[in-house]
């Protein structure tokens, strides 16, 4: 890489922290002031940086456009793939990635369990928001009004005796999920399957998907499932960071 290109990239990295002066650029790059001025003017001509009224420089509109294009081009399934496989290898149980599709969730990716008993879920299949861990993880990030609009009139469809079929019953789960950062599916979609799920965030902080660990109760009991919460939330955070989210 040529020294000029390398320096220009360093300038943009420095500007990411906020507006700076020509002299500050020179000091941080360890170059003469005239060199930093030349770099900044070249970047300004191409609209990568903009000079402010007080003489400092900041990120310009072309850089903002490129950043948005890069973030929009990120595919959650591609960003999540390696992290899902690592989680599956570590826990040995079924791992799902799901996203919102209309008023339901769609399974975007799946890592199969190492155990003989397999879940019938498949990539591309739709599932109910109110009765799945991934669905509840996505709902928990929404306002009550958004949730109500998506879920529609109650009672919601019942899949097991544990399915939450009213707004009130579901709301207590979602409030807790928002506070904890993860949610439990307590045999609410399938009689013998329970799961934990956590939200995946994009660069804006919005929840765009969710990741889960699922297992039959006779293979993994409640304490065993809950012992995987830290692994799950760490994976969700890593995927979110791949999508541009700046975790606290």
């Amino acid at each position: 890489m040529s020294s000029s290109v390398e320096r220009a990239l360093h300038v943009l990295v420095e500007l990411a922290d906020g507006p700076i002066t020509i002299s500050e650029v020179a000091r941080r790059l360890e170059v003469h002031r005239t060199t930093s001025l030349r770099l900044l003017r070249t970047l300004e001509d191409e609209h990568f940086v903009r000079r402010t009224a007080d003489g400092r420089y900041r990120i310009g509109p072309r850089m903002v456009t490129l950043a948005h294009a890069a973030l929009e081009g990120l595919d959650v399934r591609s960003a999540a793939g390696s992290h899902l496989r690592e989680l599956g290898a570590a826990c040995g149980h079924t791992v799902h990635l799901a996203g919102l599709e209309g008023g339901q969730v769609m399974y975007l990716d799946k890592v199969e369990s190492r155990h003989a008993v397999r879940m019938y879920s498949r990539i591309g299949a739709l599932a109910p928001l109110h009765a799945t861990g991934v669905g509840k993880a996505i709902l928990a990030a929404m306002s009550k009004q958004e949730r109500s609009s998506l879920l529609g009139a109650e009672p919601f469809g019942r899949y097991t005796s544990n399915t939450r079929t009213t707004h009130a019953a579901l709301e207590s789960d979602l409030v807790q999920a928002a506070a904890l950062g993860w949610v439990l599916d307590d045999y609410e979609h399938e009689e013998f399957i329970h799961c934990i799920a956590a939200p995946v965030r994009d660069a804006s902080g919005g929840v765009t998907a969710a990741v889960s660990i699922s297992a039959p109760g006779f293979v993994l009991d409640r304490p065993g499932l809950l012992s995987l919460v830290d692994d799950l939330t760490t994976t969700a955070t890593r995927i979110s960071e791949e999508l541009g989210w700046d975790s606290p």
Side-chain angles (χ1 to χ4, degrees):
M1 182 185 298
S2 72
S3 59
S4 295
V5 172
E6 187 174 4
R7 286 170 178 168
L9 292 174
H10 282 304
V11 169
L12 295 173
V13 171
E14 294 296 336
L15 288 173
D17 292 329
I20 56 178
T21 65
I22 297 170
S23 296
E24 286 175 323
V25 171
R27 178 176 55 79
R28 295 184 192 184
L29 268 63
E30 299 181 344
V31 298
H32 196 274
R33 190 176 184 277
T34 56
T35 301
S36 67
L37 176 59
R38 185 174 66 252
L39 287 169
L40 286 165
R41 283 182 173 171
T42 299
L43 291 169
E44 185 180 23
D45 289 341
E46 297 298 326
H47 306 292
F48 285 107
V49 304
R50 174 183 288 171
R51 191 179 184 186
T52 60
D54 61 5
R56 295 186 298 170
Y57 286 84
R58 56 172 294 174
I59 291 291
R62 192 171 185 186
M63 195 66 200
V64 174
T65 300
L66 288 175
H68 281 301
L71 290 172
E72 289 173 0
L74 285 174
D75 174 66
V76 64
R77 189 168 183 264
S78 297
S82 62
H83 301 292
L84 299 177
R85 290 190 294 274
E86 287 176 10
L87 179 60
C91 73
H93 301 288
T94 303
V95 173
H96 285 118
L97 175 72
L100 185 64
E101 180 62 35
Q104 297 177 285
V105 284
M106 176 184 286
Y107 292 113
L108 304 175
D109 207 347
K110 179 182 182 181
V111 177
E112 292 284 4
S113 167
R114 290 200 300 263
H115 300 277
V117 179
R118 299 290 178 91
M119 293 183 63
Y120 72 82
S121 58
R122 58 179 174 78
I123 297 172
L126 296 172
L129 278 167
H130 70 283
T132 56
V134 284
K136 293 201 295 181
I138 293 172
L139 285 171
M142 298 179 182
S143 67
K144 280 189 176 182
Q145 185 176 1
E146 289 174 313
R147 290 198 283 264
S148 179
S149 176
L150 274 175
L151 293 170
E154 56 184 41
F156 313 135
R158 179 177 294 280
Y159 296 87
T160 74
S161 60
N162 284 357
T163 304
R164 279 57 164 161
T165 59
T166 66
H167 288 287
L170 185 60
E171 192 66 21
S172 62
D173 282 2
L174 302 183
V175 169
Q176 184 179 46
L180 294 175
W182 61 275
V183 68
L184 173 69
D185 167 359
D186 188 24
Y187 306 102
E188 295 161 45
H189 189 218
E190 299 180 63
E191 290 285 356
F192 305 106
I193 305 292
H194 58 172
C195 93
I196 49 175
V200 171
R201 299 180 183 276
D202 61 17
S204 70
V207 172
T208 59
V211 60
S212 68
I213 299 173
S214 304
F218 57 83
V219 172
L220 184 69
D221 61 13
R222 174 73 65 82
L225 181 66
L226 297 184
S227 72
L228 299 173
V229 165
D230 285 347
D231 290 341
L232 172 75
T233 54
T234 296
T235 297
T237 297
R238 287 173 178 168
I239 298 169
S240 300
E241 289 171 345
E242 293 268 9
L243 294 172
W245 183 57
D246 186 13
S247 60

